[in-house]
Short mmCIF file of all heavy atoms in Angstrom, two decimals:
data_model
loop_
_atom_site.label_atom_id
_atom_site.label_comp_id
_atom_site.label_asym_id
_atom_site.label_seq_id
_atom_site.Cartn_x
_atom_site.Cartn_y
_atom_site.Cartn_z
N ARG A 1315 99.04 103.56 144.37
CA ARG A 1315 99.05 102.10 144.46
C ARG A 1315 100.37 101.65 145.08
O ARG A 1315 101.43 102.14 144.74
CB ARG A 1315 98.87 101.49 143.08
CG ARG A 1315 98.88 99.97 143.08
CD ARG A 1315 98.50 99.41 141.74
NE ARG A 1315 99.67 99.43 140.87
CZ ARG A 1315 99.61 99.14 139.59
NH1 ARG A 1315 98.47 98.87 139.00
NH2 ARG A 1315 100.70 99.16 138.86
N ILE A 1316 100.25 100.68 145.98
CA ILE A 1316 101.43 100.06 146.60
C ILE A 1316 101.56 98.66 146.05
O ILE A 1316 100.61 97.86 146.09
CB ILE A 1316 101.30 100.04 148.14
CG1 ILE A 1316 101.25 101.48 148.68
CG2 ILE A 1316 102.46 99.27 148.75
CD1 ILE A 1316 101.00 101.57 150.17
N ASP A 1317 102.74 98.36 145.50
CA ASP A 1317 103.03 97.03 144.98
C ASP A 1317 104.12 96.39 145.83
O ASP A 1317 105.14 97.01 146.10
CB ASP A 1317 103.52 97.11 143.54
CG ASP A 1317 102.47 97.67 142.59
OD1 ASP A 1317 101.30 97.25 142.68
OD2 ASP A 1317 102.83 98.54 141.75
N ILE A 1318 103.88 95.15 146.26
CA ILE A 1318 104.91 94.38 146.96
C ILE A 1318 105.79 93.79 145.85
O ILE A 1318 105.33 93.00 145.04
CB ILE A 1318 104.28 93.25 147.82
CG1 ILE A 1318 103.23 93.83 148.79
CG2 ILE A 1318 105.37 92.50 148.53
CD1 ILE A 1318 103.75 94.83 149.76
N THR A 1319 107.03 94.20 145.80
CA THR A 1319 107.93 93.76 144.71
C THR A 1319 108.77 92.55 145.09
O THR A 1319 109.20 91.81 144.21
CB THR A 1319 108.87 94.91 144.32
OG1 THR A 1319 109.60 95.33 145.46
CG2 THR A 1319 108.08 96.08 143.74
N ARG A 1320 108.97 92.31 146.38
CA ARG A 1320 109.74 91.15 146.78
C ARG A 1320 109.34 90.77 148.20
O ARG A 1320 109.19 91.65 149.08
CB ARG A 1320 111.22 91.51 146.73
CG ARG A 1320 112.13 90.29 146.85
CD ARG A 1320 113.49 90.68 146.37
NE ARG A 1320 114.44 90.52 147.45
CZ ARG A 1320 115.68 90.90 147.40
NH1 ARG A 1320 116.13 91.52 146.33
NH2 ARG A 1320 116.51 90.71 148.39
N LEU A 1321 109.18 89.47 148.43
CA LEU A 1321 108.84 88.97 149.74
C LEU A 1321 109.50 87.60 149.89
O LEU A 1321 109.09 86.63 149.25
CB LEU A 1321 107.31 88.87 149.87
CG LEU A 1321 106.70 88.85 151.25
CD1 LEU A 1321 107.11 90.09 152.04
CD2 LEU A 1321 105.21 88.82 151.18
N ASN A 1322 110.55 87.51 150.71
CA ASN A 1322 111.30 86.27 150.90
C ASN A 1322 111.19 85.84 152.34
O ASN A 1322 111.34 86.66 153.26
CB ASN A 1322 112.78 86.47 150.56
CG ASN A 1322 112.99 86.80 149.10
OD1 ASN A 1322 112.19 86.43 148.24
ND2 ASN A 1322 114.04 87.56 148.82
N VAL A 1323 110.97 84.56 152.55
CA VAL A 1323 110.91 84.00 153.90
C VAL A 1323 112.09 83.04 154.05
O VAL A 1323 112.27 82.13 153.24
CB VAL A 1323 109.58 83.24 154.11
CG1 VAL A 1323 109.54 82.63 155.50
CG2 VAL A 1323 108.39 84.17 153.90
N ASP A 1324 112.87 83.26 155.09
CA ASP A 1324 113.97 82.33 155.41
C ASP A 1324 113.46 81.49 156.57
O ASP A 1324 113.30 81.96 157.69
CB ASP A 1324 115.22 83.14 155.82
CG ASP A 1324 116.37 82.24 156.18
OD1 ASP A 1324 116.23 81.00 156.12
OD2 ASP A 1324 117.44 82.79 156.53
N THR A 1325 113.16 80.22 156.30
CA THR A 1325 112.53 79.37 157.31
C THR A 1325 113.52 78.77 158.30
O THR A 1325 113.11 78.07 159.22
CB THR A 1325 111.74 78.24 156.63
OG1 THR A 1325 112.59 77.49 155.78
CG2 THR A 1325 110.56 78.80 155.85
N SER A 1326 114.81 79.02 158.15
CA SER A 1326 115.75 78.55 159.18
C SER A 1326 115.52 79.39 160.43
O SER A 1326 115.28 80.57 160.37
CB SER A 1326 117.19 78.68 158.69
OG SER A 1326 117.52 80.00 158.38
N THR A 1327 115.56 78.70 161.55
CA THR A 1327 115.21 79.37 162.80
C THR A 1327 116.41 79.52 163.72
O THR A 1327 117.40 78.80 163.60
CB THR A 1327 114.13 78.54 163.55
OG1 THR A 1327 114.63 77.24 163.77
CG2 THR A 1327 112.84 78.49 162.77
N ASP A 1328 116.29 80.47 164.63
CA ASP A 1328 117.34 80.64 165.66
C ASP A 1328 117.01 79.71 166.84
O ASP A 1328 116.07 78.93 166.78
CB ASP A 1328 117.48 82.11 166.05
CG ASP A 1328 116.23 82.69 166.71
OD1 ASP A 1328 115.30 81.93 167.06
OD2 ASP A 1328 116.17 83.94 166.86
N GLU A 1329 117.76 79.87 167.92
CA GLU A 1329 117.55 79.01 169.10
C GLU A 1329 116.18 79.20 169.74
O GLU A 1329 115.70 78.34 170.46
CB GLU A 1329 118.68 79.23 170.12
CG GLU A 1329 118.77 80.63 170.74
CD GLU A 1329 119.47 81.64 169.87
OE1 GLU A 1329 120.09 81.30 168.86
OE2 GLU A 1329 119.36 82.84 170.20
N LYS A 1330 115.54 80.32 169.48
CA LYS A 1330 114.21 80.57 170.04
C LYS A 1330 113.08 80.19 169.07
O LYS A 1330 111.93 80.37 169.37
CB LYS A 1330 114.07 82.04 170.42
CG LYS A 1330 114.97 82.46 171.54
CD LYS A 1330 114.76 83.93 171.87
CE LYS A 1330 115.71 84.36 172.97
NZ LYS A 1330 115.60 85.80 173.26
N GLY A 1331 113.44 79.73 167.88
CA GLY A 1331 112.43 79.33 166.92
C GLY A 1331 111.96 80.48 166.01
O GLY A 1331 111.01 80.34 165.27
N ASN A 1332 112.67 81.60 166.05
CA ASN A 1332 112.30 82.73 165.20
C ASN A 1332 112.89 82.55 163.81
O ASN A 1332 113.98 82.04 163.65
CB ASN A 1332 112.83 84.03 165.81
CG ASN A 1332 112.20 84.33 167.15
OD1 ASN A 1332 111.03 84.17 167.34
ND2 ASN A 1332 113.03 84.78 168.08
N PHE A 1333 112.15 83.01 162.83
CA PHE A 1333 112.63 83.00 161.45
C PHE A 1333 112.45 84.38 160.89
O PHE A 1333 111.82 85.25 161.49
CB PHE A 1333 111.90 81.92 160.61
CG PHE A 1333 110.42 82.13 160.49
CD1 PHE A 1333 109.89 82.73 159.35
CD2 PHE A 1333 109.56 81.73 161.49
CE1 PHE A 1333 108.53 82.92 159.23
CE2 PHE A 1333 108.20 81.92 161.36
CZ PHE A 1333 107.67 82.51 160.22
N SER A 1334 113.00 84.64 159.69
CA SER A 1334 112.97 86.01 159.18
C SER A 1334 112.21 86.11 157.86
O SER A 1334 112.11 85.15 157.09
CB SER A 1334 114.38 86.55 159.00
OG SER A 1334 115.09 85.76 158.07
N VAL A 1335 111.66 87.32 157.64
CA VAL A 1335 110.95 87.66 156.42
C VAL A 1335 111.53 88.96 155.92
O VAL A 1335 111.70 89.91 156.69
CB VAL A 1335 109.43 87.81 156.66
CG1 VAL A 1335 108.72 88.15 155.35
CG2 VAL A 1335 108.85 86.58 157.29
N PHE A 1336 111.86 89.00 154.64
CA PHE A 1336 112.40 90.21 154.01
C PHE A 1336 111.44 90.64 152.92
O PHE A 1336 110.99 89.82 152.12
CB PHE A 1336 113.78 89.94 153.44
CG PHE A 1336 114.34 91.11 152.66
CD1 PHE A 1336 114.89 92.20 153.30
CD2 PHE A 1336 114.25 91.15 151.27
CE1 PHE A 1336 115.38 93.29 152.61
CE2 PHE A 1336 114.74 92.23 150.57
CZ PHE A 1336 115.31 93.30 151.23
N GLY A 1337 111.14 91.93 152.88
CA GLY A 1337 110.22 92.41 151.84
C GLY A 1337 110.61 93.75 151.29
O GLY A 1337 111.29 94.53 151.97
N GLU A 1338 110.21 94.00 150.06
CA GLU A 1338 110.39 95.30 149.42
C GLU A 1338 109.06 95.67 148.76
O GLU A 1338 108.33 94.80 148.29
CB GLU A 1338 111.47 95.25 148.34
CG GLU A 1338 112.86 95.02 148.86
CD GLU A 1338 113.90 94.93 147.76
OE1 GLU A 1338 113.54 94.95 146.57
OE2 GLU A 1338 115.10 94.84 148.09
N ALA A 1339 108.81 96.96 148.72
CA ALA A 1339 107.58 97.44 148.10
C ALA A 1339 107.85 98.79 147.46
O ALA A 1339 108.87 99.45 147.78
CB ALA A 1339 106.47 97.55 149.12
N ARG A 1340 106.97 99.21 146.58
CA ARG A 1340 107.06 100.55 146.01
C ARG A 1340 105.68 101.16 145.96
O ARG A 1340 104.67 100.45 145.88
CB ARG A 1340 107.69 100.51 144.61
CG ARG A 1340 106.76 100.01 143.55
CD ARG A 1340 107.36 100.15 142.18
NE ARG A 1340 106.48 99.48 141.24
CZ ARG A 1340 106.80 99.20 140.03
NH1 ARG A 1340 107.97 99.48 139.58
NH2 ARG A 1340 105.94 98.60 139.24
N ILE A 1341 105.66 102.45 146.04
CA ILE A 1341 104.40 103.18 145.94
C ILE A 1341 104.46 104.07 144.72
O ILE A 1341 105.50 104.65 144.40
CB ILE A 1341 104.12 104.01 147.22
CG1 ILE A 1341 102.71 104.62 147.18
CG2 ILE A 1341 105.18 105.07 147.43
CD1 ILE A 1341 102.23 105.15 148.50
N ARG A 1342 103.37 104.11 144.00
CA ARG A 1342 103.27 104.98 142.83
C ARG A 1342 101.99 105.80 142.98
O ARG A 1342 100.98 105.30 143.45
CB ARG A 1342 103.22 104.17 141.52
CG ARG A 1342 104.51 103.44 141.28
CD ARG A 1342 104.58 102.83 139.91
NE ARG A 1342 103.72 101.67 139.81
CZ ARG A 1342 103.55 100.99 138.69
NH1 ARG A 1342 104.11 101.38 137.57
NH2 ARG A 1342 102.78 99.93 138.67
N ALA A 1343 102.09 107.04 142.58
CA ALA A 1343 100.92 107.94 142.66
C ALA A 1343 100.97 108.91 141.51
O ALA A 1343 102.04 109.28 141.03
CB ALA A 1343 100.94 108.69 144.00
N VAL A 1344 99.79 109.30 141.08
CA VAL A 1344 99.65 110.32 140.05
C VAL A 1344 98.84 111.44 140.67
O VAL A 1344 97.75 111.23 141.20
CB VAL A 1344 98.93 109.77 138.79
CG1 VAL A 1344 98.79 110.84 137.74
CG2 VAL A 1344 99.69 108.56 138.21
N GLY A 1345 99.38 112.64 140.59
CA GLY A 1345 98.69 113.78 141.19
C GLY A 1345 98.78 115.00 140.29
O GLY A 1345 99.35 114.95 139.19
N PHE A 1346 98.22 116.07 140.75
CA PHE A 1346 98.20 117.32 140.02
C PHE A 1346 98.12 118.47 141.01
O PHE A 1346 97.77 118.27 142.18
CB PHE A 1346 97.02 117.39 139.04
CG PHE A 1346 95.68 117.24 139.71
CD1 PHE A 1346 94.97 118.37 140.07
CD2 PHE A 1346 95.16 115.99 140.00
CE1 PHE A 1346 93.72 118.26 140.71
CE2 PHE A 1346 93.91 115.87 140.62
CZ PHE A 1346 93.20 116.99 140.98
N LYS A 1347 98.46 119.65 140.53
CA LYS A 1347 98.33 120.82 141.36
C LYS A 1347 96.90 121.32 141.29
O LYS A 1347 96.45 121.75 140.24
CB LYS A 1347 99.30 121.93 140.92
CG LYS A 1347 100.74 121.62 141.21
CD LYS A 1347 101.62 122.81 140.84
CE LYS A 1347 103.04 122.54 141.21
NZ LYS A 1347 103.92 123.67 140.83
N GLU A 1348 96.20 121.25 142.40
CA GLU A 1348 94.82 121.68 142.42
C GLU A 1348 94.72 123.18 142.14
O GLU A 1348 93.74 123.64 141.57
CB GLU A 1348 94.16 121.33 143.76
CG GLU A 1348 92.65 121.41 143.70
CD GLU A 1348 92.00 120.86 144.94
OE1 GLU A 1348 92.32 121.31 146.06
OE2 GLU A 1348 91.15 119.97 144.80
N SER A 1349 95.77 123.92 142.48
CA SER A 1349 95.78 125.38 142.21
C SER A 1349 95.72 125.62 140.68
O SER A 1349 95.11 126.57 140.24
CB SER A 1349 96.99 126.04 142.81
OG SER A 1349 98.19 125.50 142.29
N ASP A 1350 96.38 124.75 139.89
CA ASP A 1350 96.30 124.86 138.45
C ASP A 1350 94.88 124.64 137.94
O ASP A 1350 94.40 125.32 137.04
CB ASP A 1350 97.26 123.89 137.75
CG ASP A 1350 98.72 124.24 137.96
OD1 ASP A 1350 99.01 125.39 138.39
OD2 ASP A 1350 99.57 123.38 137.68
#
């Protein structure tokens, strides 16, 4: 499962009208050794 842990949007723009988005996520998985 992938969880988005943080997503921030800075709506201030540069001279071209671009703005920035910052995000963080984590992935969690449960597995096993199939050989076992």
